[in-house]
Amino acid sequence: MQLEAAMRSALSLAKRGLGVCSPNPSVGCVILDHSNNLIGLGRTSNTGRPHAEKNALDSLTTSARGGTAIVTLEPCAHKDSSPSCAELLVNAGIKHVVIPLLDPDKRTNGKGVKLLKESGVKVSIGLLEKESLDINSGFFFRLKYNRPLVSLKIASSLDGKISTFNGNSKWITGDLSRLHGHSLRSNHDVILVGINTVLNDNPKLNCRIKGIEKYSPVRVIVDSSLSIPITSNVLINISKIPTIIWVKKNIITPKKDKLIKMGVQIIELNKRNNKLDLREGLKDLANKGFNRVLVEGGSKISSSLMADNLIDKVFLYRSGIFIGGDGLSSIASYNIKNLDLVKRFQLLKTMILDSDVLEEWDLVN
Ligand SMILES: NC(=O)c1ccc[n+]([C@@H]2O[C@H](COP(=O)([O-])OP(=O)(O)OC[C@H]3O[C@@H](n4cnc5c(N)ncnc54)[C@H](OP(=O)(O)O)[C@@H]3O)[C@@H](O)[C@H]2O)c1
């Protein structure tokens, strides 16, 4: 097997762990024997441990002595209770380690490579670096900016509307788009919506793809005054799908106590410009170890995040209908006077989903 093909396999393994490995990055590892035959593979386990290298070594069909390990991130050098991944690879007799880039985590950053080299292992760095960065952009983001990567998901008409004037949004897009939307939920750690979306749509915000329901993200509702009805669908199944509500400081209502007893986490945030400070909320999520947040509206939450420069990616599902000027825009007004000041996104991918189209956009830095 060629090294690039092995790295692509390792990257696709890593992709499968997105949404379930935080606070760890999701890493893939492929092991080749001394003749470059595939003899083992693994990815970071759900919840982050064991790491990919340990899982790949545990899956070996024959000895790895003299072989090559292709890993999508620098093997860790921190031990905790078991040997580090760099040590495990050395102990298994691996002679060559191929990685796209160093781990930004201070406990490892360069130390994994140093340990390998000092043990006589050849280390090659740089293969498919951009692809690896893309997969773990949430992890890199959290370490660099102390907030998770934020993706905005929009289901809109051709004219950019997300509901009719009277709040009807079920369904703008078709079955296949909605199914795809559930796969997005599964590979994010957190799903976030504004309270009006809960009040109007009563969503469950879980992943309903058979077999991966357990990958449902943690739910966050932005609700300053706790207007959420206790019977809302997002408050069902809290023991399995944790639910957080962001509220204003020092809120005192019997509902707050009731929600806490039900298992809801209430996080008090400061206000900025008379609205909850979403940046502060995202920082709290980063401190909890979450790497990837999916925002599913509505219009006001999306515009606040956009205005604060807190949207990094957009997944836009568009269907072939026009709702018209009285419909709700995907982004509420945010007072743009000069287009030179607008943040720009660039198109990364498009996908036809029956009669809808999905566009994936990335912020231009
Ligand atoms: N098609 C789609 O993709 C899609 C997706 C989601 C929603 N929707 C539609 O969108 C509609 C709801 O959107 P919406 O714009 O009315 O409401 P929203 O964005 O769901 O919720 C806005 C509310 O969140 C609270 N909030 C607290 N802090 C905030 C902050 N910093 N910035 C913004 N809001 C903050 C405010 O209520 P408090 O002051 O009470 O806290 C605010 O009124 C629904 O009709 C729904 O069907 C469509």
Side-chain angles (χ1 to χ4, degrees):
M1 189 176 207
Q2 289 193 336
L3 291 184
E4 183 173 329
M7 183 62 85
R8 289 200 187 278
S9 305
L11 287 165
S12 65
L13 281 169
K15 220 170 177 180
R16 285 203 223 158
L18 288 178
V20 288
C21 293
S22 291
N24 285 358
S26 178
V27 176
C29 175
V30 165
I31 299 191
L32 306 179
D33 69 7
H34 53 85
S35 309
N36 282 349
N37 297 307
L38 176 69
I39 54 168
L41 36 84
R43 71 157 170 91
T44 313
S45 299
N46 296 357
T47 73
R49 291 250 166 193
H51 289 177
E53 297 88 329
K54 164 112 177 72
N55 287 333
L57 289 169
D58 285 350
S59 80
L60 286 178
T61 50
T62 179
S63 166
R65 207 147 286 284
T68 300
I70 294 93
V71 197
T72 60
L73 194 64
E74 179 183 12
C76 76
H78 44 277
K79 290 188 185 181
D80 302 336
S81 53
S82 47
S84 68
C85 290
E87 282 172 311
L88 287 175
L89 294 172
V90 171
N91 296 344
I94 292 287
K95 282 287 160 248
H96 185 193
V97 171
V98 182
I99 54 171
L101 70 175
L102 298 184
D103 184 345
D105 185 328
K106 281 192 202 110
R107 291 170 300 171
T108 287
N109 193 257
K111 298 189 190 91
V113 166
K114 186 164 176 269
L115 191 152
L116 290 166
K117 284 185 174 167
E118 285 174 357
S119 308
V121 177
K122 177 182 165 191
V123 181
S124 307
I125 307 176
L127 182 61
L128 301 183
E129 180 184 1
K130 188 187 169 308
E131 286 80 351
S132 171
L133 263 172
D134 279 352
I135 289 178
N136 273 307
S137 47
F139 172 73
F140 292 111
F141 230 87
R142 182 170 63 78
L143 263 58
K144 194 165 173 191
Y145 302 115
N146 198 22
R147 73 163 174 86
L149 181 91
V150 179
S151 301
L152 172 62
K153 183 211 143 188
I154 300 167
S156 86
S157 59
L158 278 180
D159 52 344
K161 305 295 177 187
I162 59 169
S163 82
T164 59
F165 70 92
N166 54 353
N168 186 354
S169 63
K170 285 182 182 162
W171 299 107
I172 291 177
T173 50
D175 291 349
L176 194 57
S177 293
R178 296 209 299 283
L179 187 69
H180 193 279
H182 280 262
S183 76
L184 266 192
R185 289 180 178 180
S186 76
N187 64 35
H188 284 78
D189 305 317
V190 171
I191 183 166
L192 181 149
V193 296
I195 182 60
N196 292 352
T197 297
V198 172
L199 296 175
N200 288 353
D201 302 351
N202 197 16
K204 295 191 179 86
L205 301 183
N206 57 353
C207 168
R208 295 193 287 281
I209 297 177
K210 245 184 155 180
I212 56 168
E213 295 93 337
K214 61 176 186 289
Y215 287 8
S216 292
V218 169
R219 300 174 286 205
V220 173
I221 319 301
V222 190
D223 180 15
S224 329
S225 313
L226 277 185
S227 342
I228 190 165
I230 292 284
T231 52
S232 300
N233 282 334
V234 282
L235 300 178
I236 296 172
N237 236 348
I238 290 172
S239 60
K240 292 208 174 106
I241 311 175
T243 302
I244 299 172
I245 305 183
W246 290 352
V247 298
K248 65 186 171 198
K249 290 264 178 201
N250 304 320
I251 185 165
I252 304 171
T253 76
K255 199 196 270 182
K256 179 178 171 186
D257 300 328
K258 194 162 182 185
L259 287 164
I260 291 171
K261 269 199 194 121
M262 285 166 67
V264 175
Q265 272 189 63
I266 305 285
I267 300 295
E268 296 189 357
L269 300 180
N270 285 302
K271 282 201 165 188
R272 207 159 46 85
N273 301 330
N274 216 22
K275 289 186 275 189
L276 291 185
D277 186 346
L278 303 179
R279 191 178 286 276
E280 189 183 315
L282 291 173
K283 193 171 169 189
D284 180 68
L285 292 179
N287 292 338
K288 289 181 162 76
F290 297 121
N291 292 331
R292 292 163 61 82
V293 172
L294 182 68
V295 176
E296 284 205 16
S299 180
K300 289 189 181 126
I301 284 295
S302 307
S303 92
S304 289
L305 289 165
M306 196 63 87
D308 281 350
N309 209 2
L310 292 170
I311 306 266
D312 310 300
K313 274 180 101 61
V314 177
F315 293 94
L316 175 60
Y317 298 80
R318 275 189 308 131
S319 75
I321 59 169
F322 289 91
I323 290 183
D326 54 351
L328 189 66
S329 293
S330 56
I331 304 282
S333 46
Y334 68 112
N335 205 21
I336 292 293
K337 294 190 191 79
N338 184 344
L339 282 178
D340 290 342
L341 302 175
V342 168
K343 283 284 163 191
R344 287 207 178 260
F345 290 79
Q346 65 186 5
L347 186 61
L348 208 66
K349 266 187 224 155
T350 55
M351 198 188 284
I352 304 290
L353 296 167
D354 281 347
S355 51
D356 303 330
V357 61
L358 165 63
E359 294 166 1
E360 188 178 335
W361 295 81
D362 263 7
L363 185 68
V364 178
N365 288 310

